[in-house]
Amino acid sequence: MSFAYRLMPAWPSLAWVACGHRRRPSIEVLHGSGVVRADDWFGEVVWDAPYEAAAFDQTDLVYGSGARKRDGGVTFVSASHTMDRLVWSSDGETFWVSNSLPALLAVSDTTVDPVYPHYPRDFTTMTLGLSEYEREVAATSPASRTVRLLYHDNLRLDEHGLQVVAKPTIERDLSTYASYRRFLEAALQRCAANMADARRRQPYAWMGTVSTGFDSPTAAALARAAGLNEALTITSARGGASDSGDAIAEYLGVALHRVARDAWRATAFPEVPFLAADAKGEDVYFRGAESLLRGRVLLTGYGAGAWARREAPLTEIRRGDQSGLSLTEYRLWAGFINMPLPTFGLRSGGGIYRVSLSDEMQAWARPRSYDKPFCRRVLTEAGVPDGLYATENKAASVLLFDRRSFLSETSLADFEAYLARLRGTNRAEVVGQQLRTRARSLAARTVVEGAGRLPGAFAHRLRHSGRLNETAYQDARYDYLFAWATEHAVARYRQTV
């Protein structure tokens, strides 16, 4: 097998689509300008081993995506977390594999269903773990091919066609604070050497994230020994409270770039790549940091459920929310790699969760539900005073489904025109779904607001139920945002296809 490369100058720099026929020796690879091309591999990828060997198919610590020829076949490699993915489609003979859903749709002449109402629900299943997420995307192609998503695992192409294969499983002793910390710091140093290798035409550099929470400051603290000396902070959380990590960054010795949470609203169609990724788009605030992100490995605290006190391992990579997933398309446009540190080694024997429960960590534990003793110890040892971080649970995520924080002004006008066209051809489906959404919203809002007038623990849980509040204030147009955004994203890829 061989790769035949075709540069697509108008594409996002890190996007790629591989297409071909399993019985033909050449695989055509359409790609943006930032994708590395070699005789036996390609990708936009960083991993924890020497760059020269290009053995990113043989590790469980790989970020970005790519493909590697080996042993008479090709392995398409996905990132080692569930905030990136591969997208693929095949009729048994012809195939397409990509790191971008809109790119694959454009190249394979496939469209999403504009009146399918469950895209938000389907993408949310990513939180359920590797064995339970929705693998198929509701889409229509000329030959009725199925479009599939693949998180974490890899795809192998050989004479038998495309098959899902598991990533290598590497057993490690991560059962003590010292062994787990050594693992993280050593892995970060190996990744740093890989991403800055002089043989790269475009080496990557670190960009950390620092908020007033537990997770991103911990990631930044651990990466200092690997050369991280810059970070960005979103200055406010949802609701307006300060979330700036200024004081923490000063203790860590990290230069901080401040980004206003709503800066994204001043750009043109800012929501498109985020919504086209997961139909929710809650990470759209990163659009305001775009000038800081190109050529970076963005070290984040996403997936930090692994650092919480818990009684069981997270070997299936289950999550409490889908934060970070909407970056999977945007990062290709902005030109950066997403590296969520808490996901490192998550499937290595399930030992990580024991660290927070161990006797040696009790001095850093606090008797409350929002507690991460591992993070507290790392930050304490880095010299950050207790009280500067994690005093309350904040979030910068943007709730585009909420009618009180819907689309930016330019996007809203375009979306309304799109929705009017959709109603003109699918009036019964669209109007019916919106009426059902309004009815559910009214019922949930009645419960939430009624609970606000009642005392007691049960009423408190109702008032603060994330699922209930999401339903109570959901905009009836929300279900159609994914198709609208995907139409715009696909148009960019179709410019030169």
Side-chain angles (χ1 to χ4, degrees):
M1 292 183 182
S2 62
F3 298 129
Y5 296 111
R6 180 182 169 193
L7 175 63
M8 312 298 284
W11 277 22
S13 64
L14 300 187
W16 58 264
V17 178
C19 47
H21 192 286
R22 73 181 184 90
R23 299 184 188 276
R24 295 174 188 157
S26 180
I27 299 172
E28 184 179 25
V29 181
L30 288 65
H31 62 88
S33 60
V35 175
V36 176
R37 292 90 66 197
D39 289 341
D40 56 359
W41 72 276
F42 70 84
E44 39 88 37
V45 60
V46 168
W47 64 100
D48 68 325
Y51 178 77
E52 185 176 16
F56 54 88
D57 58 326
Q58 297 179 333
T59 178
D60 65 340
L61 298 179
V62 55
Y63 303 91
S65 64
R68 181 67 160 86
K69 288 196 299 181
R70 195 186 298 276
D71 301 328
V74 172
T75 300
F76 296 95
V77 179
S78 186
S80 300
H81 55 83
T82 55
M83 285 149 270
D84 275 324
R85 64 196 175 214
L86 293 178
V87 188
W88 62 291
S89 182
S90 175
D91 58 11
E93 298 292 326
T94 306
F95 67 86
W96 294 262
V97 182
S98 180
N99 63 351
S100 163
L101 176 58
L104 183 139
L105 296 175
V107 172
S108 64
D109 195 26
T110 303
T111 59
V112 297
D113 184 347
V115 295
Y116 179 73
H118 301 306
Y119 288 116
R121 179 201 65 188
D122 291 350
F123 287 114
T124 297
T125 62
M126 172 274 287
T127 63
L128 301 177
L130 300 182
S131 61
E132 298 184 45
Y133 69 88
E134 177 56 59
R135 286 163 169 74
E136 296 185 3
V137 179
T140 302
S141 68
S144 299
R145 295 180 301 268
T146 301
V147 176
R148 294 180 173 88
L149 305 177
L150 183 64
Y151 294 98
H152 188 274
D153 290 323
N154 299 335
L155 274 175
R156 176 74 176 169
L157 175 68
D158 55 25
E159 68 273 14
H160 302 296
L162 276 171
Q163 301 290 331
V164 175
V165 295
K167 266 192 170 44
T169 299
I170 300 176
E171 293 295 324
R172 305 176 176 98
D173 176 14
L174 307 179
S175 60
T176 68
Y177 172 79
S179 63
Y180 181 44
R181 178 167 182 155
R182 281 196 304 269
F183 156 68
L184 292 177
E185 292 181 327
L188 285 167
Q189 290 172 21
R190 293 194 300 271
C191 288
N194 179 288
M195 70 196 213
D197 194 291
R199 284 162 291 204
R200 286 185 179 269
R201 185 166 58 88
Q202 296 176 321
Y204 289 96
W206 290 117
M207 178 60 73
T209 52
V210 177
S211 70
T212 59
F214 270 127
D215 311 325
S216 58
T218 300
L222 291 168
R224 291 179 304 170
L228 184 144
N229 56 20
E230 290 181 82
L232 63 86
T233 189
I234 306 301
T235 55
S236 61
R238 192 169 63 239
S242 174
D243 200 22
S244 178
D246 293 70
I248 296 172
E250 186 173 347
Y251 279 100
L252 295 179
V254 172
L256 199 64
H257 304 274
R258 297 164 184 82
V259 178
R261 180 175 175 270
D262 291 334
W264 60 275
R265 288 188 175 273
T267 61
F269 296 102
E271 307 91 342
V272 163
F274 299 91
L275 286 167
D278 76 339
K280 190 177 183 185
E282 66 180 77
D283 306 291
V284 67
Y285 58 87
F286 273 105
R287 184 67 182 266
E290 189 160 319
S291 63
L292 302 170
L293 294 173
R294 185 165 300 277
R296 301 289 191 154
V297 172
L298 183 68
L299 189 72
T300 68
Y302 287 130
W307 288 346
R309 286 169 59 89
R310 60 178 61 253
E311 298 296 329
L314 280 175
T315 54
E316 281 302 309
I317 318 186
R318 292 186 177 91
R319 299 189 61 203
D321 58 51
Q322 67 194 71
S323 56
L325 179 57
S326 68
L327 293 177
T328 190
E329 180 67 23
Y330 172 67
R331 70 173 194 82
L332 308 180
W333 299 35
F336 68 92
I337 303 288
N338 180 16
M339 184 180 285
L341 183 61
T343 65
F344 276 41
L346 201 54
R347 307 193 83 193
S348 297
I352 298 170
Y353 81 105
R354 297 189 183 94
V355 175
S356 294
L357 296 175
S358 63
D359 291 341
E360 67 168 325
M361 298 301 293
Q362 293 313 301
W364 288 270
R366 299 292 183 271
R368 59 185 186 186
S369 58
Y370 181 49
D371 190 28
K372 295 177 180 176
F374 173 76
C375 298
R376 192 180 302 280
R377 182 168 179 178
V378 168
L379 292 171
T380 299
E381 292 176 352
V384 182
D386 199 357
L388 281 187
Y389 56 87
T391 56
E392 57 181 306
N393 199 351
K394 301 176 183 177
S397 55
V398 178
L399 306 182
L400 293 175
F401 62 79
D402 194 320
R403 63 174 180 269
R404 299 166 297 183
S405 55
F406 204 49
L407 300 177
S408 59
E409 187 175 345
T410 55
S411 294
L412 180 58
D414 187 87
F415 175 64
E416 286 287 11
Y418 168 86
L419 199 57
R421 294 194 302 273
L422 194 60
R423 288 194 197 98
T425 55
N426 301 274
R427 182 170 180 79
E429 292 93 335
V430 173
V431 172
Q433 177 61 21
Q434 290 188 316
L435 288 174
R436 288 190 290 272
T437 298
R438 290 190 182 101
R440 288 195 300 269
S441 178
L442 178 59
R445 193 160 62 252
T446 300
V447 172
V448 170
E449 293 175 355
R453 295 187 290 271
L454 298 174
F458 180 68
H460 180 271
R461 287 196 297 272
L462 287 177
R463 286 196 303 275
H464 296 281
S465 165
R467 182 69 58 86
L468 203 57
N469 274 275
E470 181 174 332
T471 303
Y473 298 102
Q474 181 174 320
D475 193 293
R477 300 164 293 183
Y478 171 63
D479 292 332
Y480 304 99
L481 285 179
F482 173 73
W484 165 77
T486 299
E487 182 178 279
H488 277 281
V490 167
R492 178 173 182 180
Y493 287 100
R494 282 187 174 151
Q495 289 181 44
T496 52
V497 173

